[in-house]
Amino acid sequence: MILTGKKIIEEVRKNRIDISPFDKERITTNSYDLSLGDTIIRYKSDIIDPRCKPSYDEIKIPKEGIVLKAGDFLLGHSNERIGSDFYVPLIHGKSGTARMGLFVHITADLIDIGSHGVTTFQLYATLPVRLYPGMLIAQVSFWVPFGDIVLYKGKYQNSTGPRPSMTYKDFKYDIFKNKG
Amino acid sequence: MILTGSKIRDEIKTGNIFIEPFFDDQINPNSYNYRLGSTIKIFDGFDGEKAVFKEINIPEDGYVLEPRKMYLATTKEIIGSSKYAMSLIGRSSMGRYGLFLQVSANLGHTTSKHKWTLEIVAALPIRLYPGMIIGQVSFWKNFGTVKKYDGRYGHLNHPQESFVPLIHQNV
């Protein structure tokens, strides 16, 4: 079951859904609109190796925007801190964003219950597109869980900006351990 | 409704969810982390009208994917459920590298059970290792009577290219 916009407002008021800052105007029928923060990350490595800590540049998006060429991949972030200990959030592009050929996540829409923080957008352009800080580019929906809840305590908790991948930490602790 | 990690664990025990091999430490708050299998399949041009894919074993020291190519691989695990619908996606840690694990086909039908074919597209050059934790699968409660899946892909355990023929074009 997916929450309606009205239910999201009720649950934000009861502190069972965390969206901050929260603006009632951004509620849609089944979701809440998310805006693009002003910090962008661009990886510098020639080849990404999940075993190694990636090198990257952090860039501020100027008021006049930043242009992504077709094929560019950058990490951005939502201005809003989101999360819930009672519902499962899913991230989606806004239809207007998708119609420009811009992905806001790369097959990773699912957020763990109990995860709180600004969300990292995985921005992949299929057409040249200019992005402005503060523009509404994504939306979050909330889904009812089934079963006992164990909250997220992972490595991306309490993100305050775009967070590059931390797979090198998995490899440090050897994800292959005795698994054959 | 989406199953929590605890519920996934319960349903593995009852047999309503099947994951093999299964490791408890791959359970997330509302999904299960799957691993990459040991082979990858790459489109290798046409033989006459027939699309040719070559399959390679991913070396222990990894295999580098190039951007804007499409690769097929599988999950290391056999995954299925007689009771729940499934959604198979990537992990956020791989999305943060720009790695697609499927191409807008995340839905797994109730009663299908196999090593899932992954449709892999990389936005950046990236090295993949066999057996690495690469994606996640979630389980969803059904509403209505379940009709048994009788599709062509849901029992296959190797990376299977589309049964719809690719069109050979001189470009």
Side-chain angles (χ1 to χ4, degrees), chain A residues 1 43 45-52 54 70-73 75 87-88 90 103 105-114 120 122 124 143-153 155-156 159 162-168 170-171 175-180, chain B residues 1-7 9-11 21 23 25-26 28-31 35 60-61 64 68 76 83-84 87 89-104 106 121-133 136-138 140-141:
Chain A
M1 271 193 301
Y43 289 107
S45 321
D46 290 339
I47 295 174
I48 297 288
D49 188 337
R51 284 183 192 272
C52 307
D72 273 356
F73 175 76
L75 298 178
Y87 301 103
V88 176
L90 283 186
F103 287 85
H105 72 78
I106 306 283
T107 58
D109 56 349
L110 188 63
I111 296 188
D112 286 314
I113 197 161
T120 293
Q122 300 137 19
Y124 181 56
W143 298 75
V144 179
F146 174 51
D148 294 338
I149 293 170
V150 177
L151 299 176
Y152 174 80
K153 290 196 282 282
K155 51 188 178 286
Y156 302 110
S159 296
R163 293 284 294 278
S165 182
M166 289 164 74
T167 47
Y168 63 94
D170 304 338
F171 282 88
I175 60 167
F176 303 117
K177 54 179 184 294
N178 304 319
K179 289 189 177 179
Chain B
M1 283 201 285
I2 178 171
L3 271 63
T4 62
S6 327
K7 194 72 187 174
R9 184 181 293 116
D10 292 348
E11 291 295 54
F23 294 99
D25 62 358
Q26 286 171 225
N28 296 316
N30 34 256
S31 66
R35 294 191 285 156
E60 287 303 314
D61 58 352
V64 176
R68 289 175 293 282
K76 189 176 174 74
K83 188 172 175 185
Y84 301 103
S87 167
I89 60 171
R91 325 164 51 191
S92 109
S93 288
M94 299 315 291
R96 289 166 205 258
Y97 287 137
L99 188 76
F100 290 84
L101 273 302
Q102 40 89 357
V103 177
S104 62
N106 62 304
V121 176
L124 300 175
I126 183 168
R127 183 178 293 276
L128 298 187
Y129 297 93
M132 68 184 286
I133 290 177
Q136 54 184 320
V137 57
S138 57
W140 297 74
K141 245 181 127 168

Side-chain angles (χ1 to χ4, degrees), chain A residues 74-145:
Chain A
L74 301 168
L75 298 178
H77 69 102
S78 65
N79 277 316
E80 299 76 17
R81 180 185 158 88
I82 57 171
S84 174
D85 292 353
F86 301 90
Y87 301 103
V88 176
L90 283 186
I91 300 291
H92 320 261
K94 276 177 71 70
S95 138
T97 312
R99 285 163 212 249
M100 301 189 296
L102 181 73
F103 287 85
V104 300
H105 72 78
I106 306 283
T107 58
D109 56 349
L110 188 63
I111 296 188
D112 286 314
I113 197 161
S115 161
H116 295 264
V118 309
T119 196
T120 293
F121 293 132
Q122 300 137 19
L123 301 168
Y124 181 56
T126 62
L127 294 175
V129 60
R130 187 183 290 271
L131 299 182
Y132 299 92
M135 70 188 287
L136 300 179
I137 66 164
Q139 50 188 324
V140 56
S141 59
F142 294 90
W143 298 75
V144 179

Side-chain angles (χ1 to χ4, degrees), chain A residues 60-77:
Chain A
K60 289 279 175 208
I61 310 178
K63 280 202 178 64
E64 59 273 23
I66 184 172
V67 173
L68 273 65
K69 301 191 297 294
D72 273 356
F73 175 76
L74 301 168
L75 298 178
H77 69 102

